[in-house]
Amino acid sequence: MPEIDIGSPDGRREALRTMLLVREFENRVRDRFADNEIPGFVHLSQGQEAVAAGACGALADDDYITSTHRAHGHSLAKGLEPDRLLAELYGKEAGYCGGRGGSMHVSDLERGMLGAQPIVGASVPLGTGAGITAQLEDADWCAVAFCGDGSVAAGQVHEGINLAATWELPVVYVIENNQYSEGMVFDEQHNVEDLADMAASYGIPGEIVDGQDVEAVHETVSAARERALAGEGPTLVEAKTYRYRGHFEGDEEPYRSQEEVEEWIAERDPIENYAEVLAERGELSIDELEAMRADVEATMDAAVQFARDADEPAPEDAYDDVFVDPAPDVERFRERMETDGGQDGGAGR
Ligand SMILES: Cc1ncc(C[n+]2csc(CCOP(=O)(O)OP(=O)(O)O)c2C)c(N)n1
C-alpha cells in the first residue's frame, strides 16, 4: 500500500484516502482517549496529514522511516495496519510492539518503520544510522527521518545531519514545521524564518515545501530520495504545516488563539482542499468521495473493535523484548508473578 504513484489518478485518490485514514484514525484516538479507553499520553497530527501521506507515498516498501512522538500519520502512511496500530495504543498484545510501546514507541521493521521516538530529536540520528547501514551495504533504499521544528534546536539533530552531509548518506530529513514546539511559538525558539536555510551550513540542499499540499510534498521528497539513491547525499526538507489539536490531548493551548486554529481548518485543510482539487480536475466524483469516507469509517470501526477485543499482555511478560538476555531482575519478577501474581509487592527482592 504505501508507495503512491502520484502521477496517476488512482495514485492521487490513494493519497487522499491515506489522509482520510489518518484523520479518522486520530478522531477515534481522540474520542477513545477522552473516554479513558486508551491509556498513557497521545499527540495527534491532525492538520499535518499531507506531510505524512506525501512523504511516505514517495517511498518504496524497502525504504525506512523514523518518527517522533507524533507518529500515527507516518506509521499509517508507511503501511502499518490501523487495527494493530490502535491495539498498540490500547496496550494490547496484538499491537505492533505487543502493547509495550504505546503511541510514542511504535515500530514495525517489516513495513520499514524504525520507530517513533519520544525523545525530541532522536529520530534524526536514528535516521542517520539507517543511512550508514544503507551506505555500508551499498543498498538501494534510503531513510526518511521526520522531526519537528522544535527538535531542530537540539544538538543531536545538528550532529545527525552534519554526519550524513559529510559522509553523503542516503537520508532525507523532513522537518514538519507546525509552528509550535509544545507551548513555544516558532520565533521564540529560532532566529531564522526558514529552517531550510540551515541546510547551507551543512552544504546540502534545503527545500521549503507547502506541507498542506500532498502532491508538492510527494514531489519534493521523491526528488530528495532520487538524490540520496544516486549517492549525492542528504536533503533537508522543511514542510510548513500546522497542527489542529493541542500539543497533547488535554493541552489547554494558552499559547495560541482558537481563531487562528479555525482559520487554518477553514482555509488550509490538506484533505478538504485536495478533495476539491481532484473534483475540479474531474478525477473524483462526490459519490467516490463519499464511498472513500465510508470505507475509512468502516475500517476504523473494525479497528476499534479489534483493539477492544484484543488480549491484554500477561503481566509476567512485561519485560519481553525489553532486554535481549533476561536480566536477573526480570527473572525474579517473572517468578514472583508466576507464584503469587506479584502480591508481595516486590518485598522479596
Ligand atoms: C529531549 C527532550 N526534551 C524535551 C522533551 C519534552 N517534549 C516533548 S515534545 C516537545 C516539543 C517538540 O516540538 P517539535 O519538535 O516542534 O514537535 P511537535 O510537537 O511540534 O510535533 C517537548 C519539548 C522530550 N520529549 N525530549
Side-chain angles (χ1 to χ4, degrees), residues 41 43-45 48 68-70 104 117-122 147-154 156 175-184 186 189-190 243 246-248:
F41 217 38
H43 305 77
L44 303 186
S45 64
Q48 303 180 205
T68 69
H69 53 285
R70 211 176 291 289
M104 284 192 277
Q117 301 297 315
I119 296 172
V120 169
C147 61
D149 48 287
S151 80
V152 173
Q156 60 175 325
I175 305 171
E176 278 182 286
N177 183 355
N178 65 14
Q179 307 176 39
Y180 293 96
S181 168
E182 209 161 338
M184 193 172 277
F186 182 85
Q189 192 175 23
H190 300 286
R243 69 165 153 76
H247 171 65
F248 54 85

Side-chain angles (χ1 to χ4, degrees), residues 66-80:
T66 68
S67 179
T68 69
H69 53 285
R70 211 176 291 289
H72 308 148
H74 308 144
S75 304
L76 291 169
K78 191 66 177 75
L80 273 66

